[in-house]
Amino acid sequence: VVILMGSGTLANDAIAAQLSLLGGRGLILINGEFGQRLADQAARANLSFQAVEALPGERVDSQQIKRAVDNDPAIRWLWAVHCETSTGMLNDIEALADICSNANIHLCLDCISAIGTVPINLSKVYLASCVSGKGLGSLPGLAMVFYNHHIAPAGHTLPRYLDLGFYAEKNGMPFTLSSNSLYALSAALEHQDWGQRYKHITAWSSQIRHDLQKSGLPILVPAAYASPAVITVPLPAFMSSLEVGTMLEDNDILISYRSEFLLKKNWVQLCMMGEIEQDTQVMVALLKEYWTRHNRTSKSAQPQLAQVE
């Protein structure tokens, strides 16, 4: 693993830089905001690629991916988000690994919201990005790129800070890293029982899903295809995601709702990535009360058709 000072965006920029050395073309899977961001980063790195898309909250069809690979012999790599955080969709990396293995192309993954929340096998993955925060539960500020092959320095082909081969040549330490951040990451990794953590996240998520569904509140992605660490609730038009998030925050319950893409779609998210477990029943009760009150107000505000005798 190469460790860089920065966010997950930096880790993905470093992956894009490596892909630029492969030549040929690539595929990028898009079924949410962070798939769109991979495409944007690939375009900024001047990579040649085509996108295979699905609607947010849906998996990209495997047959569509295979057809795209079969129809373009110039494809050298496939880049996708493992956990599409904008929806909670957990894309099927085993299926992607099989497609890439059969076609002899490189699989790259954005694992930023997946590592530390679900068990992952990266043995068939060429490059994968991660961060010190999110699922690993440490301080934010360290970006990581995992690899399973020899990486040679790129010389003057890449910027020094994005040249993963330069990091490997310098035993992982070509530039200054924050010792405080490194020790915090080490502590987060060493003092966690990861098997128990995965079980706890899954149990906590199942309880929240049960309570939400029992209250009639919608969930975007079915549990069978979702990360247990992210539950996205698409709100109806008569509710405001900004108001809902603020209301819960006023009651000391913190959820994700201020991101630009969430505000645009009127969604809120419940994310189980930290150590603090909120009171699920109180949260769901507040959501249900808000839902009922605003639904009643919305219906009463609708114009009534006059009856004709």
Side-chain angles (χ1 to χ4, degrees):
V1 61
V2 167
I3 300 178
L4 310 92
M5 289 290 295
S7 67
T9 301
L10 175 61
N12 285 331
D13 275 340
I15 288 178
Q18 286 297 303
L19 293 178
S20 71
L21 303 176
L22 292 178
R25 290 165 47 77
L27 282 181
I28 294 181
L29 307 189
I30 301 175
N31 59 348
E33 171 70 19
F34 291 93
Q36 292 280 5
R37 292 190 190 184
L38 290 186
D40 177 72
Q41 290 180 264
R44 290 170 183 264
N46 295 315
L47 300 181
S48 176
F49 67 94
Q50 61 173 296
V52 181
E53 301 188 48
L55 293 174
E58 296 183 2
R59 277 187 169 176
V60 180
D61 181 59
S62 296
Q63 293 304 314
Q64 187 180 357
I65 300 169
K66 289 180 67 176
R67 285 194 298 269
V69 171
D70 293 340
N71 293 336
D72 190 346
I75 289 178
R76 300 287 306 280
W77 50 268
L78 186 154
W79 200 5
V81 179
H82 183 11
C83 173
E84 176 49 73
T85 325
S86 65
T87 63
M89 172 62 69
L90 203 60
N91 289 313
D92 188 350
I93 63 171
E94 290 299 326
L96 297 180
D98 288 342
I99 292 172
C100 291
S101 178
N102 292 334
N104 195 29
I105 62 178
H106 298 301
L107 174 61
C108 299
L109 292 177
D110 175 337
C111 293
I112 289 169
S113 293
I115 290 178
T117 59
V118 292
I120 300 176
N121 182 350
L122 296 178
S123 61
K124 297 180 181 179
V125 177
Y126 186 67
L127 296 166
S129 56
C130 179
V131 293
S132 52
K134 299 275 187 180
L136 294 185
S138 182
L139 300 174
L142 296 180
M144 288 167 269
V145 179
F146 293 89
Y147 60 96
N148 62 358
H149 57 283
H150 173 69
I151 300 182
H156 297 293
T157 307
L158 298 179
R160 286 169 65 90
Y161 206 68
L162 296 180
D163 184 359
L164 299 184
F166 187 60
Y167 285 79
E169 184 183 57
K170 302 297 182 182
N171 296 316
M173 196 72 68
F175 312 114
T176 301
L177 290 174
S178 164
S179 57
N180 291 336
S181 297
L182 288 171
Y183 278 116
L185 175 60
S186 177
L189 295 175
E190 292 174 1
H191 296 287
Q192 184 67 258
D193 183 330
W194 294 99
Q196 286 300 116
R197 173 169 169 77
Y198 298 144
K199 291 179 182 178
H200 176 70
I201 291 174
T202 300
W204 189 13
S205 178
S206 296
Q207 183 62 53
I208 292 176
R209 281 180 170 271
H210 174 268
D211 292 343
L212 288 173
Q213 291 168 342
K214 187 177 179 181
S215 299
L217 295 166
I219 298 175
L220 183 64
V221 180
Y225 304 111
S227 164
V230 182
I231 298 175
T232 300
V233 180
L235 299 177
F238 62 81
M239 297 176 72
S240 162
S241 60
L242 181 61
E243 289 184 8
V244 168
T246 302
M247 178 271 294
L248 291 176
E249 191 172 330
D250 290 342
N251 286 274
D252 298 324
I253 298 174
L254 306 180
I255 66 171
S256 298
Y257 70 98
R258 289 187 179 273
S259 297
E260 182 179 359
F261 66 88
L262 292 176
L263 292 172
K264 182 179 179 180
K265 291 183 176 295
N266 201 39
W267 292 351
V268 296
Q269 290 185 320
L270 317 176
C271 300
M272 286 65 73
M273 294 189 187
E275 293 295 328
I276 300 174
E277 186 168 330
Q278 297 282 7
D279 189 328
T280 302
Q281 292 182 338
V282 171
M283 177 188 68
V284 173
L286 288 168
L287 283 172
K288 185 178 180 180
E289 189 275 333
Y290 187 99
W291 171 287
T292 303
R293 174 160 45 86
H294 284 74
N295 190 25
R296 187 184 303 117
T297 302
S298 174
K299 289 180 179 179
S300 64
Q302 293 179 0
Q304 301 295 317
L305 296 177
Q307 292 186 356
V308 179
E309 295 289 343

